[in-house]
């Protein structure tokens, strides 16, 4: 399965729109609250804001992800000689994937805003300026990082689910063109489709790696790390007599 740059473009558009909405709504409220009241009151408002914003994110992303799933499933069907098409199972999978993604995105937003404002508060620098600087880094760095990582994660997660649905039982890791030492040593590794390439908490240290990688969750597909573009392919078991 190859990563599709057209998926990346569509995701970039969706994430750009989400981040612009966040920036606009948070900046508006920040001007009112941060000007004359405490950071804590703003943090309370921020939690309430994001509790509602999760619907906005899901609204932006669900249709995009469903289209992406439809195209990936079509490719898997073609590869595996299946005529199954989009299934209810896959729709359910994508829906819960987007829910998890939306809380991950919100978690990162809250951590970054709180860190910037707390630091500005301690240093006595302008709170609104520091908030604005945070938003600028979202536009300059975060969006690209998030979109590239998401393209890899979503493509692999949806592909794996599609493989499962057409009856594939084993997966193989395919390292990207310029792999790091960890990904290179995973290249070609075969696992059961319900298993993991690297287990949560496992100290994974291939020969030549200076320090072990210790994932915080079971790794059943890429990205293994920031910038990883590794993919997965299906493995067809041959019957040995
Ligand atoms: Zn990789």
């Amino acid at each position: 399965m190859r990563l599709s740059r057209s998926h990346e473009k569509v995701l970039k558009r969706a994430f750009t729109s989400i981040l612009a909405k966040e920036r606009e709504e948070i900046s508006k409220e920040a001007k009112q609250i941060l000007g004359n009241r405490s950071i804590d009151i703003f943090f309370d408002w921020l939690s309430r804001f994001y509790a509602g914003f999760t619907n906005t994110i899901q609204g932006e992303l669900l249709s995009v992800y469903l289209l992406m799933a439809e195209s990936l499933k079509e490719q898997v069907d073609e590869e595996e000689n299946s005529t199954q098409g989009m299934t209810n199972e896959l729709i359910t999978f994508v829906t819960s994937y987007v829910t998890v993604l939306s809380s991950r995105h919100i978690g990162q937003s809250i951590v970054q805003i709180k860190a910037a404002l707390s630091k500005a508060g301690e240093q006595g620098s302008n709170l609104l300026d520091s908030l604005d600087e945070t938003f600028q880094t979202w536009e300059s760095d975060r969006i690209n990082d998030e979109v590239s990582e998401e393209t890899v994660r979503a493509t692999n997660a949806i592909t794996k689910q599609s493989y499962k649905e057409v009856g594939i039982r084993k997966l193989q890791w395919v390292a990207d063109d310029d792999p790091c030492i960890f990904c290179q040593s995973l290249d070609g590794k075969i696992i059961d489709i319900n298993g993991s390439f690297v287990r949560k908490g496992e100290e994974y240290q291939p020969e030549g790696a200076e320090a072990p990688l210790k994932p915080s969750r079971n790794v059943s597909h890429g990205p293994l790390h920031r910038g990883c573009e590794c993919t997965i392919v299906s493995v067809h078991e041959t019957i040995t007599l």
Side-chain angles (χ1 to χ4, degrees):
M1 184 60 55
R2 291 197 169 272
L3 296 172
S4 160
R5 295 301 156 197
S6 68
H7 291 156
E8 192 163 13
K9 265 188 210 158
V10 177
L11 288 185
K12 175 127 189 205
R13 215 174 300 140
F15 277 96
T16 304
S17 153
I18 290 168
L19 287 169
K21 279 185 192 163
E22 274 178 271
R23 181 178 191 163
E24 192 191 326
E25 294 195 31
I26 295 169
S27 299
K28 203 164 67 189
E29 195 69 22
K31 270 183 203 127
Q32 304 207 342
I33 301 182
L34 285 180
N36 47 14
R37 284 194 275 169
S38 78
I39 297 181
D40 290 336
I41 292 171
F42 182 69
F43 286 171
D44 286 344
W45 174 83
L46 200 64
S47 304
R48 287 197 303 277
F49 165 74
Y50 273 117
F53 195 68
T54 179
N55 283 332
T56 308
I57 300 183
Q58 288 173 34
E60 288 268 356
L61 293 182
L62 190 57
S63 57
V64 169
Y65 274 74
L66 285 173
L67 278 174
M68 192 166 148
E70 209 164 339
S71 119
L72 289 167
K73 183 61 171 47
E74 207 175 286
Q75 286 178 58
V76 165
D77 280 345
E78 227 174 86
E79 240 178 70
E80 307 296 340
N81 293 316
S82 153
T83 52
Q84 200 173 54
M86 198 66 177
T87 60
N88 286 332
E89 236 181 314
L90 191 53
I91 294 173
T92 307
F93 176 83
V94 170
T95 308
S96 66
Y97 181 94
V98 168
T99 308
V100 173
L101 161 63
S102 123
S103 18
R104 187 165 50 223
H105 175 89
I106 287 176
Q108 286 170 2
S109 293
I110 292 177
V111 164
Q112 290 182 20
I113 292 172
K114 283 191 171 177
L117 289 178
S118 303
K119 194 175 158 203
E122 277 165 27
Q123 293 175 342
S125 46
N126 189 300
L127 297 175
L128 287 173
D129 285 350
S130 103
L131 187 63
D132 219 52
E133 275 162 29
T134 306
F135 290 141
Q136 278 164 27
T137 66
W138 285 8
E139 275 168 26
S140 60
D141 300 319
R142 181 182 176 190
I143 183 141
N144 287 328
D145 288 350
E146 201 169 6
V147 167
S148 350
E149 190 176 319
E150 228 343 86
T151 305
V152 181
R153 184 187 288 120
T155 302
N156 284 330
I158 294 168
T159 301
K160 179 181 148 187
Q161 174 64 22
S162 302
Y163 279 146
K164 250 191 217 177
E165 291 181 15
V166 298
I168 297 297
R169 303 220 300 262
K170 288 188 187 295
L171 292 179
Q172 186 169 28
W173 190 277
V174 180
D176 56 39
D177 290 341
D178 186 20
C180 68
I181 195 144
F182 296 100
C183 290
Q184 190 166 28
S185 84
L186 285 179
D187 190 38
K189 182 170 178 174
I190 294 173
I191 59 158
D192 182 275
I193 199 158
N194 295 310
S196 324
F197 289 99
V198 187
R199 287 187 318 276
K200 177 181 173 181
E202 178 186 338
E203 298 209 342
Y204 176 56
Q205 189 168 15
E207 216 186 302
E210 278 174 19
L213 192 102
K214 205 172 160 186
S216 56
R217 70 190 81 187
N218 286 326
V219 179
S220 61
H221 56 73
L224 182 64
H225 53 82
R226 205 179 147 158
C228 167
E229 293 195 343
C230 295
T231 52
I232 44 169
V233 289
S234 62
V235 175
H236 294 262
E237 292 152 291
T238 47
I239 301 156
T240 45
L241 294 171

